[in-house]
Each structure stands twice: as structure tokens, then as C-alpha cells.
Amino acid sequence: MAAEGSRRVLGLWLLAAAGLCGGVAAGKSPSCHEVRTAFQLRQIGPLKLVPDVPTAESDLQICQHRAPTCCTKKMEESYQAAVRRERTQSIQALNFELKYMIVGHITAFQEAFESLLRFAENRTSSLFETAYRPMAKEAAEPVKELFTDLSLYILGAETTVESAVLRFFDSLFPLVYSRLINPGITDLSEDYTECLRLTRQDINPFGRYSKNMVTELSKSLWASRMLSQALSLGIEVINTTEHAALTKECSKALVKMQYCPHCQGLTLIRPCVGYCLNVMRGCLASVSELDAQWREYISTLEYLTNEMAASHDLETALMGIRNSINEAILHAQLNGPQLSATVDKVCGQPKQQEGNLSSDSIVPVKEVTETQTFVMAHASLNNKRREFINYMKRSRTFHASIAERLCDGDLVMRDSSTCWNGEDVVESYTSRVVSSGLKAQINNPELKVRGLDPLISNLIDKLQHFNKLDAEKAKLKLERWASRDAGSGGGRSEEMESSGDCDDEDGCQGSGDRIHTADILKDKKTHPENRNEPKPTVKKIDTTTTTSTVKSSSKHSVTGNGSSPAPSSSLVVFTALAVLWRCQL
């Protein structure tokens, strides 16, 4: 066998010699024809760089051989550009299916989210068009803004669920007050409307329902937002690995492996498997360091996706918006007399103008989108979740096996008894084959690896941050919400408000940004030019009597055709005096 192998090696060298000599036996001069052909077919560079005949080139930096060569220094430079291009293309080919699936699922998730949001928005709009027609036209814009804000939150915008919901109820209260509680008011001045908006959080006309709506939406939308961010992070990982720069040592090693045989006329010989693995593992040492965090990233995705589908159903939360708003409006109507008394004390009497509501204020009733649309969107979103996580689970070892996959196929010699080892045509590669990973490259015989690529290091930090914070936070939130749901349920909004469990990352705002209504009103009276500025969130009045009034109102709210007992007139007056006292400070 050894003799047979030696004969094959000798035969290859004879073929190479025949190629370089260009048929000397036939009386022809030595030629680089085969090298020129390969140079042209692979689009490495202009043909003028390739000599017609072998020369004794002395300034080669990579493909240094004692025999005459068909390579020049300019060709080496072209070869280095070619291996960088080919390496990017090879990794892009490996990434293609994974990238295609993630990008496709990003689009599918967004389409499903938008479909659900549209359905929920239409369903909410129909509430005003059927049950509260006098305010339907004016309520259309606040409803639209609410769902736009929720959509932006899911897609990762710098906003919160609490700010979106409270902004909606701020806009809703003037409409409820003037169209339902006091329908005789035909026109509201800008100042009076602003006063109603600013006092909304102080007098809490919608009871616990606005806070409950924040809590329910925060749970479900937070999980959806995190999944959206996870998909974007996955694309960032893929794009970074595709375009990670090659070091000089890697470029030279790739040229030596793939193109130095061409210099000797060996355009068909290919690298040995072990040789290719050493070169590729050295070049991709930084990329392989993503393996541990990528595996954890997939596990985190699986955990969050399962919990999102099981406990934090986005579809259910969005469908519940209509009922939450309806209950909030009913609560305000049932407590209309005491609300009117308090508002009159704080904001004064509105300026009433002659005339009645025009027909333009009544919006024709339109049917809600068919239930089938929601069912299809619901099924689509659940199917996309399963498809996505099942595919991602199969990509756990993607970064650990990338070198092996690049050395598979046509790049190396597998069915031949001879291959290229970087210096010669041999029967087998005899040097040590190192494993993947940065530390293992200390013993790599083919190239030196100096350290971790800064871009990859930054990417590892991002994955680590996502895996640690989001997994731990998800677990804690799920346990906390589960314990709340298992309790009485009556005081969940108060629990959230007092304990501080609903934080910025859940989609809730901190209380530190709120200010008193009276201070805002005083500032606007002193500085009229500030009236059009964005409204800051209003801090609740911290008086025991006011809080007691709100809680009392919440306790007596009804969800059916029943009624709630009205608080005593002395309590209403006392509450109004407390609010006025705060305004005068």
C-alpha cells in the first residue's frame, strides 16, 4: 500500500510538471495555462497578473517554493482578497437558512401582532360606536393612539405600557365627563379640558380598572416585547459573524491552504481534512466562543416562548382591553355626582355654548371584524412560536460546528489518497488537529491566534446580558404574577402600586416622574405659553381622605345592572376641600 501511495504522489507531481512544462516533450515552452484558467474561472483578478510561463519569483510572502512558480506578489494580494470574499460567502451560505428563518419569523410575528392589534382596536372602537355613541367620534383618536403606542412598545420602542394606558384615560376622561356624566356641556374650552386631564389621576374617576388594565397588559406585552428583541438580537449575531474581519495570519493561512498549490500547477489538488480543520478553527476561534452563550440564548428563548404561550397570552390581554374600558366608563358614570362636585371645585364651571350635538358627532355603527380573523391570527401566532423555537433548538451547535461544516463538501479531499498539507502533496496530514475554541488554538500548528475579536466580545456580552437578566427576570415575574393570581385578586392594582413590583422594564413608569395637578395648573396660569407642552404624568394626591374616597368608589363599582351606593355629601365636600387645599399650596 505504501508503494502504491508513493506511486500516486509521484504521478501527481509528474502531472504538475507536465502542466508547468506545457508539453516540453512536444517541443513547447513551459506554460501557466492551467493557473490562468483557474484564476479567470474563480474571478480572482485580472489575467494580466498571471505570467505566461513559470518564473523564479523571489519576493513571494506566502507561497514560497524553490521551484519555478506561476505566482507573483500581485497574485498573492489578489488571492488574499479572494479568500476574504470566499470566506464571507461560505459563512453566509451556512447562515442562510438560520437567517432566513429568523427574518421570516420576525416578519410573521409582526404581521400576527399587527393583525391582533387591529382586531382589538376595531373591537374597542365598536364599544364606543354601539354603547357610547355621543363620544364615539371624539374617542376614535385616543383609541388609535393607545394601540399605536402598544404596537411600538412590542416592537421595542422607548415607551411603557403604563404611559400609553394612562395617556389614553387622560384623554378619555374629558369626553366621559362632558358627554356621559354631564351631557349638557356642549363645548369645552382648552383650559377646562386640560384641567380635566390633569385632575384625572388625582380624583381617579375610573377606579381600579385603569390600573388593572396596566397590570394585565404589562404582563403579556412584556413577554412579546422581549421575544421581539430576542429575534433582533439573533439577526445581529448572524450579521456580525458573517462580516467579522479576518486577521492577517488567517488570510495568509487560507491563501496557503487554497491557492499555493496553484503556484505549482496543482489546480485540482485540495487540502487534507485535518489541515483544513486547523486553519478554519484558527480563523473562526472568536466565532466559536459564541457557542456557550448561543446555547443559553436558545434555552432562554425556549423557556420564554413556552411561558408566554402558557401564562401570558397576548391575544387574551388585547381582547380584554374593550371590557376594561367599558368597566372603567361604567364606574365613572356610577360615581358621576361626586365626580362632578369635585371637578366643579377644582376646575370651576365650564363655559356652555348654545346649540346641541350635531349629527357629525354620531358615528355610524360598523360591524366588528369577523371573529374568524382573530381565530386565524391567534392560530398563526401560536404556530409561528412553535415553528420558531423548534428550528432554533436545532441550531444550538451552530457556532461550535461552523469550522467542520466549512471543511465539509468540495473544499477538502475525502475520497482521495492524496491531499495538500500546506507544503506538499501527501497521503495524510500528520500534524496535530486542535479542537475548536480560543484556548485550544495555542497548539494550532498552522496559524497564531492573538485574542478575541472585539466585535465578537461585544456580541458575547449582549447575549450574556440577555440570557442572565431576561431569564432571571422572567422567572421572578412569573412567580410573582402566579402568586397574585392565586390570591384574592381584589387588590392586585393596589399591590402593584405600593410594592413597586411593576417597574420600567415591565412597561410601567416610576412614580418619581409625577407632579401634583395643582402645581401644573398654577404654572399654566402663570405661564400660558406652556400650555401646549407635553403633559407630564400626574402624581396622585397623597391625602388619606382622597385615597379613601377612591377605594370606597372602587369597592362599590358594579359590573352588571346593579348600582352602587353614593358616598355621603359631606365626604364629597371634604374631598373637594382637600383637593383645593393642595391646589393652594
Side-chain angles (χ1 to χ4, degrees):
M1 289 294 294
E4 180 65 22
S6 299
R7 283 195 293 272
R8 291 180 178 177
V9 174
L10 179 61
L12 281 170
W13 275 107
L14 289 173
L15 287 172
L20 287 175
C21 293
V24 172
K28 296 180 181 179
S29 301
S31 171
C32 294
H33 174 72
E34 297 296 331
V35 180
R36 290 172 63 87
T37 301
F39 202 81
Q40 183 177 28
L41 289 177
R42 298 195 181 196
Q43 299 180 340
I44 295 171
L47 277 179
K48 65 181 181 180
L49 298 179
V50 185
D52 293 327
V53 296
T55 60
E57 188 75 19
S58 60
D59 59 349
L60 294 177
Q61 301 296 315
I62 305 172
C63 304
Q64 299 174 346
H65 299 283
R66 291 188 295 273
T69 177
C70 284
C71 289
T72 63
K73 187 175 180 180
K74 289 290 186 182
M75 288 175 65
E76 281 189 335
E77 294 172 358
S78 296
Y79 282 141
Q80 290 191 69
V83 295
R84 286 193 291 269
R85 182 175 63 250
E86 290 167 359
R87 184 259 193 186
T88 299
Q89 292 172 348
S90 297
I91 295 181
Q92 285 177 339
L94 293 180
N95 282 343
F96 176 77
E97 186 178 5
L98 180 61
K99 188 174 184 177
Y100 175 80
M101 289 297 291
I102 295 179
V103 171
H105 278 74
I106 288 177
T107 302
F109 274 123
Q110 289 178 351
E111 290 176 350
F113 287 151
E114 290 172 2
S115 179
L116 290 170
L117 286 167
R118 280 197 303 271
F119 183 88
E121 181 178 351
N122 289 338
R123 194 166 180 268
T124 303
S125 297
S126 72
L127 170 68
F128 293 95
E129 295 164 355
T130 55
Y132 305 109
R133 291 173 64 86
M135 55 185 289
K137 183 176 182 179
E138 293 167 297
E141 189 62 28
V143 170
K144 182 179 179 180
E145 289 180 357
L146 170 64
F147 284 92
T148 298
D149 289 342
L150 295 180
S151 176
L152 291 174
Y153 174 78
I154 291 175
L155 298 178
E158 293 296 327
T159 185
T160 64
V161 172
E162 185 181 33
S163 65
V165 173
L166 296 186
R167 184 161 52 247
F168 167 76
F169 280 109
D170 287 345
S171 300
L172 183 65
F173 179 53
L175 301 179
V176 172
Y177 187 79
S178 63
R179 299 293 182 261
L180 300 179
I181 297 176
N182 293 293
I185 301 175
T186 58
D187 184 69
L188 297 176
S189 67
E190 182 179 345
D191 289 341
Y192 192 80
T193 301
E194 185 68 6
C195 181
L196 290 175
R197 288 172 55 87
L198 293 174
T199 56
R200 198 274 311 166
Q201 291 185 30
D202 287 338
I203 63 177
N204 195 21
F206 301 112
R208 69 178 185 273
Y209 298 104
S210 58
K211 283 294 183 183
N212 286 353
M213 184 169 159
V214 170
T215 304
E216 295 303 317
L217 287 175
S218 293
K219 293 191 299 189
S220 300
L221 299 191
W222 170 74
S224 301
R225 173 187 173 94
M226 206 164 70
L227 184 58
S228 178
Q229 291 175 343
L231 293 174
S232 299
L233 180 58
I235 291 297
E236 184 179 356
V237 171
I238 293 175
N239 289 336
T240 302
T241 56
E242 284 182 355
H243 300 288
L246 294 181
T247 63
K248 292 182 179 179
E249 291 82 1
C250 176
S251 295
K252 291 179 179 179
L254 288 173
V255 170
K256 187 176 181 181
M257 180 179 76
Q258 293 180 243
Y259 290 112
C260 282
H262 290 207
C263 299
Q264 301 177 43
L266 302 172
T267 57
L268 300 179
I269 196 71
R270 291 174 185 169
C272 305
V273 176
Y275 176 42
C276 178
L277 287 174
N278 275 342
V279 172
M280 288 301 182
R281 284 172 177 169
C283 287
L284 298 170
S286 290
V287 173
S288 65
E289 289 297 304
L290 288 166
D291 178 59
Q293 291 303 322
W294 181 257
R295 290 172 185 265
E296 184 64 26
Y297 166 79
I298 300 300
S299 298
T300 304
L301 280 182
E302 182 180 7
Y303 169 78
L304 293 173
T305 302
N306 291 338
E307 291 298 333
M308 174 181 168
S311 304
H312 305 299
D313 204 68
L314 172 67
E315 300 89 324
T316 302
L318 291 176
M319 292 305 103
I321 292 177
R322 172 191 169 111
N323 291 336
S324 296
I325 294 174
N326 187 43
E327 294 292 342
I329 294 175
L330 288 175
H331 179 87
Q333 285 183 288
L334 290 172
N335 292 276
Q338 54 266 39
L339 289 176
S340 296
T342 305
V343 168
D344 287 347
K345 296 294 184 180
V346 176
C347 299
Q349 294 288 339
K351 295 180 180 179
Q352 299 189 9
Q353 296 183 359
E354 295 181 359
N356 297 317
L357 288 174
S358 65
S359 59
D360 293 339
S361 300
I362 307 299
V363 180
V365 177
K366 63 180 179 181
E367 295 296 328
V368 187
T369 310
E370 294 291 335
T371 304
Q372 184 180 3
T373 303
F374 167 71
V375 174
M376 291 176 61
H378 178 93
S380 174
L381 191 56
N382 283 335
N383 289 337
K384 292 304 177 184
R385 287 173 185 153
R386 288 192 293 268
E387 289 175 11
F388 171 69
I389 202 62
N390 287 336
Y391 182 85
M392 294 302 288
K393 286 164 64 176
R394 296 196 297 270
S395 73
R396 287 182 189 274
T397 62
F398 181 81
H399 296 97
S401 61
I402 193 167
E404 287 82 351
R405 296 168 69 189
L406 286 173
C407 288
D408 196 10
D410 297 334
L411 182 60
V412 298
M413 286 286 195
R414 290 191 178 274
D415 299 327
S416 176
S417 60
T418 56
C419 56
W420 175 257
N421 71 350
E423 299 292 338
D424 262 325
V425 177
V426 296
E427 294 181 8
S428 63
Y429 183 69
T430 57
S431 297
R432 175 181 179 177
V433 179
V434 299
S435 59
S436 60
L438 197 60
K439 292 182 179 179
Q441 304 314 307
I442 296 175
N443 300 314
N444 195 320
E446 303 304 335
L447 74 159
K448 292 182 179 180
V449 179
R450 302 188 181 279
L452 189 62
D453 185 326
L455 291 178
I456 300 297
S457 176
N458 182 55
L459 202 56
I460 291 174
D461 289 342
K462 288 184 178 182
L463 284 169
Q464 191 171 19
H465 179 77
F466 175 83
N467 294 334
K468 178 182 292 186
L469 294 184
D470 288 347
E472 293 179 359
K473 187 174 178 63
K475 186 175 181 180
L476 291 173
K477 294 298 179 185
L478 289 171
E479 291 174 353
R480 185 156 58 235
W481 291 328
S483 66
R484 287 180 183 172
D485 292 339
S488 61
R492 283 191 298 168
S493 62
E494 289 83 6
E495 235 180 15
M496 179 190 72
E497 186 179 355
S498 61
S499 67
D501 288 338
C502 189
D503 55 28
D504 290 349
E505 294 186 30
D506 294 323
C508 303
Q509 290 176 323
S511 61
D513 294 336
R514 298 182 177 181
I515 58 176
H516 295 299
T517 301
D519 295 334
I520 299 175
L521 293 174
K522 186 184 296 183
D523 178 70
K524 289 185 175 293
K525 290 178 180 179
T526 308
H527 305 285
E529 67 277 4
N530 294 337
R531 293 181 180 179
N532 295 326
E533 293 181 0
K535 182 187 74 64
T537 314
V538 185
K539 183 175 181 179
K540 280 192 173 184
I541 295 179
D542 189 17
T543 57
T544 306
T545 53
T546 304
T547 304
S548 301
T549 304
V550 171
K551 290 186 177 179
S552 175
S553 301
S554 300
K555 289 180 181 178
H556 295 297
S557 63
V558 297
T559 56
N561 295 325
S563 60
S564 60
S568 64
S569 58
S570 60
L571 181 59
V572 174
V573 174
F574 187 78
T575 302
L577 291 174
V579 173
L580 284 173
W581 179 75
R582 296 288 299 183
C583 291
Q584 293 172 357
L585 291 180

